Amino acid sequence: MTTKRPRLEIEYCTQCRWLLRAGWTAQELLTTFTTELGEVALVPGTGGVFDIRVDGEVIWSREERGGFPELAALKRLVRDRIAPDRDLGHSDRR
């Protein structure tokens, strides 16, 4: 039996032209979590949205947090949700 791996979604604002930021973020997360993530989806949105969800749960919202995530902080949030025992090396240093 195989365990279903998490789905990560990055909803980005098409009006703000944040596709490249969303794509870069997806690439970085897929590079870091090569075996832990089952899927990364880019979801077009509007109205300044830049939300990151794991299995439907928002782990980062640009509107709520007042900006974009630093990559190391985002990796920690994803790790804490999908692989809490995983060492992220330099990304774990604050």
Side-chain angles (χ1 to χ4, degrees):
M1 182 171 105
T2 60
T3 303
K4 183 179 177 214
R5 293 181 293 161
R7 172 187 168 98
L8 186 134
E9 298 175 351
I10 301 171
E11 185 176 4
Y12 65 95
C13 180
T14 58
Q15 297 166 312
C16 302
R17 302 198 181 277
W18 288 337
L19 173 59
L20 287 177
R21 181 184 290 267
W24 173 75
T25 302
Q27 176 183 324
E28 288 292 325
L29 292 173
L30 282 167
T31 299
T32 299
F33 299 102
T34 56
T35 60
E36 294 90 352
L37 285 171
E39 176 180 4
V40 173
L42 300 180
V43 181
T46 58
V49 69
F50 197 87
D51 289 353
I52 300 170
R53 295 182 288 272
V54 176
D55 289 337
E57 177 187 338
V58 176
I59 62 167
W60 186 275
S61 171
R62 188 193 68 80
E63 182 178 358
E64 290 176 13
R65 296 192 183 225
F68 295 99
E70 293 292 327
L71 190 57
L74 180 59
K75 287 180 180 184
R76 287 190 298 270
L77 287 171
V78 171
R79 183 269 319 271
D80 291 350
R81 178 72 169 74
I82 69 170
D85 296 328
R86 169 100 188 269
D87 179 20
L88 292 176
H90 71 276
S91 292
D92 269 334
R93 296 183 196 97
R94 290 186 165 84

